[in-house]
Amino acid sequence: MRLTKNKKRFIAFWSAIIFVSSLCLNKYEVHATENSWFEEENSEEKNQLDEEVSELSVEYNNEIEVVEQQPKKIENFSEREDIANIEYKAGEKIYIEDEKVMNTPLARQVLAGEASDYLLQAGDVKSLALSLNPGVYLQVRLTQPNNSEIDYDLYVLDNEGNILCGSDMYTYVNGADGTLQESVGYITTGTAAATYHLAVMSMAGGSADEMFKLEFTVSDIYDQFEIDENPMQAWPLTIGSDGVILNVRSISSPLDNDWYIIDIPENRIYDRLSIGISSESSNTCRVEVYRNIIANGYKMERILASDRSMSLPVGTGTYYIRVCSNKPMANYNDQDVQNYTLSMIPKLKPEQILLLEYDGNEGVNHYVKYPGFTRGYFRTKSWISVKGAVVAIDKDTGVKYGISGYSVTSMYFNPYWDANHTPHKAVVTGTTVTDSVGDFYIQMQLPDAMGAETYSNGISTQYFDMCIFNTYLTEQENIKYDDIIIHYSMSSFN
C-alpha cells in the first residue's frame, strides 16, 4: 500500500510501538510476554480494575507560563557615542568666493526656501547666505544628481567660513530615488541675528547638465531629541524580544529627519522585524531602513520603505531607521505638528509547541494508566480537542513567548485501521491558526475505534486502540509534539 506523506512521517515512530503493544496488552488475558512494553505485574494488580475512575496528574506543560510580547516604551535614549562625521571636523574652514554664491532671489529672512545650481568638478563650492535670529532650528537638505560618479557634500558655515556642521556621506545610488540626501540641522546661537552660509562642495565629479537642489527650513518648533538629521547622528535603540514603541517625537518640518540605529544580535529569537509608522497629523510620515555598506564612513543602501508598516528580514548586524515627512515642502502644514508612533516588533521564530490541555468524552486531561504501563495516556472515545501554544524561548531569560499567526495541525493516526486497509478511518486531521497571544484550539471527531487491544480484569474486558496523536506546525513539521492516546471502543462483561 502506498503511504501518504503524513503517514510516512509517523510510521517510523509507530513501527516499534505497534509491534510490542500488540503483544503486551493481550498478556492480561493470556500470559506475560518477554521483551514486552512493560514488566510483569503481580497477580493482585492484574485483577484490579483499571484506574479510569481517577485522573492522573500527568503534566503536559500546563504549569509553564506563556507570555505575549509587550513592547518597551521609549521615553528617552541612551547616550550617543561620537556623532561627528568621519571626514570633516567642525571648525575647519571652507573658503567662500563671492562669485560662487548661488543666484537666487530669496529674502534674507526666510522660513523655507530652495535653490538649484551646478558644480562642475571636484573641489567646486557653491554657497547661499542666510541671516538668522538666535535660537532657531535650521534644517538643510541636499539632493544631488542621480549619478554614481558624483559625490557632493553639505555644510553649514559661519560668516568666516568655519564649519559648524556637515554631512559627507559617500554616494550610493538607490535605484530611481538616487543616493540618500545629505541633511544637516543646526540650532543658532548668540544674542543677535547672524549670517550663516549653506555650502555645497563636490568631493568627486561634477556636471554642467545635472543640477543639485538645496532645500532649507527655519523653525522654532522642534522636539527635545534634535539634532539627528543624518545617520551619523542616529539615536541607539535596543530591540529585545518584546520590541520597542516610540511616540515622543514629531516631524516638525518638511525636511525633518529622525534617525535611529539598531544592532541585531546573533543570539536573537527572530529573523524579521515588523516596523510600523503612524501619525494623527495631516503631515504624514514614512519610515525607511538603510544599511551602511562600508566600514570607514557612510555609504547608505536603502533596504525598505513604507508610509504604513512593513516586514523587514534581518540578520546579525546594524541597521539604520529613518523617519521623515511623506509630503512635498509646499504641502506641509506647520499648524498641525503632532507626534508620530514608531514601532519595531520582532516576528519571533517558533521553537516549540506546548500542549496545555486535552479534552474528550471522559473529561479534561483524563489520563488512564493500565497496569504495566509506565505512564498514563489520555483516553477518549468519539472526539478529542487540544489546547496549546506555539512559543519562542528567550535564550537569556528562559521566558516563553506566544507567537501569533502560525498554522497548527493535529493528526490522529490509527495503525489498526490502516493495516486493515481502511484509510478513511485511519487518519483524521484538524488545522487552525494561533491567535494574538500564540494560543490554538483544535477539536476533531474521531471514527470508531477498532478495539484491537484488550484488557481484562476478570470481570470485564475493555477494547481499545493505542493511537498516535501528534500536533505540529503545518509548514514546519519538525516543530511538533508527539503523543499516544487511548482510543476507547467498548467494554463487555466476561
Side-chain angles (χ1 to χ4, degrees):
M1 180 181 67
R2 182 180 176 84
L3 294 176
T4 65
K5 177 183 177 182
N6 282 329
K7 288 179 185 175
K8 287 180 180 178
R9 181 174 177 273
F10 298 115
I11 197 66
F13 173 72
W14 177 253
S15 58
I17 295 177
I18 186 59
F19 171 74
V20 294
S21 65
S22 62
L23 296 176
C24 67
L25 287 167
N26 287 321
K27 79 171 186 174
Y28 293 105
E29 289 187 328
V30 190
H31 57 274
T33 304
E34 292 183 0
N35 300 319
S36 65
W37 210 354
F38 39 78
E39 297 177 356
E40 175 69 55
E41 305 291 336
N42 59 54
S43 58
E44 180 180 354
E45 183 174 5
K46 283 192 292 184
N47 289 327
Q48 292 176 347
L49 291 172
D50 68 276
E51 299 181 30
E52 59 182 318
V53 295
S54 62
E55 295 184 8
L56 300 180
S57 57
V58 178
E59 297 291 345
Y60 274 79
N61 298 318
N62 54 346
E63 77 282 3
I64 298 176
E65 181 183 8
V66 179
V67 302
E68 60 181 306
Q69 291 171 285
Q70 296 289 341
K72 178 183 178 183
K73 290 186 177 181
I74 302 296
E75 303 290 343
N76 213 326
F77 301 102
S78 303
E79 288 294 324
R80 291 180 286 202
E81 294 179 359
D82 181 6
I83 63 173
N85 292 42
I86 298 298
E87 300 296 333
Y88 85 92
K89 292 181 180 179
E92 291 185 345
K93 283 184 177 291
I94 293 180
Y95 182 62
I96 305 171
E97 302 177 53
D98 292 339
E99 65 271 20
K100 297 296 186 181
V101 174
M102 294 180 210
N103 183 19
T104 175
L106 293 166
R108 300 285 287 177
Q109 293 282 358
V110 296
L111 294 177
E114 64 179 54
S116 298
D117 215 320
Y118 302 89
L119 297 177
L120 301 182
Q121 59 188 354
D124 278 1
V125 178
K126 289 287 181 74
S127 67
L128 180 66
L130 299 177
S131 179
L132 303 176
N133 289 321
V136 297
Y137 189 27
L138 169 66
Q139 292 169 292
V140 192
R141 180 169 70 193
L142 168 65
T143 303
Q144 72 174 41
N146 191 4
N147 186 331
S148 60
E149 302 300 318
I150 289 176
D151 186 0
Y152 297 166
D153 293 337
L154 173 64
Y155 303 96
V156 175
L157 316 175
D158 65 15
N159 206 32
E160 285 73 45
N162 297 305
I163 296 175
L164 301 175
C165 63
S167 177
D168 55 2
M169 295 178 290
Y170 292 93
T171 296
Y172 182 87
V173 176
N174 290 289
D177 291 335
T179 192
L180 174 64
Q181 298 103 327
E182 305 280 1
S183 296
V184 297
Y186 182 74
I187 299 174
T188 59
T189 59
T191 58
T195 299
Y196 299 88
H197 300 267
L198 316 182
V200 180
M201 174 182 286
S202 172
M203 302 305 295
S207 174
D209 302 315
E210 298 174 281
M211 280 187 171
F212 66 80
K213 182 169 71 171
L214 191 68
E215 300 169 281
F216 55 92
T217 60
V218 179
S219 173
D220 57 2
I221 301 174
Y222 52 90
D223 67 51
Q224 61 180 319
F225 299 109
E226 298 291 0
I227 303 168
D228 57 344
E229 298 301 324
N230 54 53
M232 304 82 153
Q233 300 171 320
W235 287 104
L237 290 179
T238 300
I239 308 294
S241 300
D242 283 319
V244 297
I245 188 166
L246 173 72
N247 57 7
V248 295
R249 305 209 61 190
S250 63
I251 297 299
S252 55
S253 86
L255 303 186
D256 195 10
N257 297 282
D258 293 343
W259 281 90
Y260 309 95
I261 183 172
I262 56 175
D263 288 315
I264 305 299
E266 186 176 359
N267 66 338
R268 66 192 180 279
I269 59 175
Y270 56 90
D271 285 330
R272 303 185 78 86
L273 284 179
S274 178
I275 301 178
I277 188 72
S278 64
S279 176
E280 295 182 3
S281 172
S282 60
N283 300 313
T284 57
C285 51
R286 62 190 278 109
V287 61
E288 301 174 349
V289 182
Y290 290 83
R291 190 163 41 208
N292 185 10
I293 61 174
I294 60 175
N296 185 26
Y298 291 84
K299 191 172 187 178
M300 307 303 292
E301 176 191 22
R302 193 171 75 183
I303 303 171
L304 282 176
S306 175
D307 58 1
R308 291 182 180 85
S309 61
M310 58 187 174
S311 181
L312 173 70
V314 293
T316 303
T318 301
Y319 295 80
Y320 292 82
I321 311 297
R322 176 198 189 197
V323 179
C324 56
S325 174
N326 199 37
K327 285 189 172 182
M329 180 185 291
N331 296 338
Y332 187 85
N333 181 2
D334 61 1
Q335 302 301 308
D336 186 25
V337 175
Q338 299 184 50
N339 288 351
Y340 60 80
T341 298
L342 173 67
S343 61
M344 289 183 279
I345 312 299
K347 180 67 174 178
L348 303 181
K349 296 186 298 183
E351 298 179 65
Q352 186 179 0
I353 287 181
L354 298 181
L355 190 62
L356 304 177
E357 177 185 289
Y358 281 137
D359 196 4
N361 298 92
E362 299 178 75
V364 174
N365 289 337
H366 184 83
Y367 292 87
V368 171
K369 183 180 179 183
Y370 288 118
F373 282 85
T374 57
R375 71 170 176 91
Y377 296 91
F378 178 77
R379 189 173 74 178
T380 189
K381 184 174 183 181
S382 61
W383 65 277
I384 186 172
S385 70
V386 57
K387 290 182 181 179
V390 176
V391 300
I393 306 170
D394 190 305
K395 298 175 179 60
D396 295 325
T397 64
V399 173
K400 295 178 185 286
Y401 290 92
I403 310 177
S404 65
Y406 274 90
S407 177
V408 180
T409 296
S410 286
M411 177 178 177
Y412 160 92
F413 176 59
N414 188 318
Y416 311 96
W417 284 125
D418 187 65
N420 193 53
H421 306 290
T422 317
H424 67 283
K425 289 189 174 184
V427 177
V428 179
T429 60
T431 300
T432 190
V433 176
T434 57
D435 65 14
S436 60
V437 295
D439 292 341
F440 65 87
Y441 174 80
I442 297 173
Q443 181 170 326
M444 303 186 317
Q445 293 298 123
L446 301 179
D448 295 335
M450 177 180 282
E453 305 290 355
T454 60
Y455 160 62
S456 177
N457 58 27
I459 301 174
S460 65
T461 301
Q462 294 185 4
Y463 298 85
F464 58 93
D465 299 336
M466 297 296 293
C467 299
I468 288 178
F469 192 86
N470 290 347
T471 302
Y472 55 92
L473 289 187
T474 309
E475 303 299 329
Q476 301 179 54
E477 295 185 15
N478 60 308
I479 300 176
K480 58 185 178 177
Y481 192 101
D482 292 335
D483 206 356
I484 299 171
I485 66 169
I486 298 172
H487 189 180
Y488 178 69
S489 175
M490 59 172 290
S491 295
S492 63
F493 287 96
N494 296 336

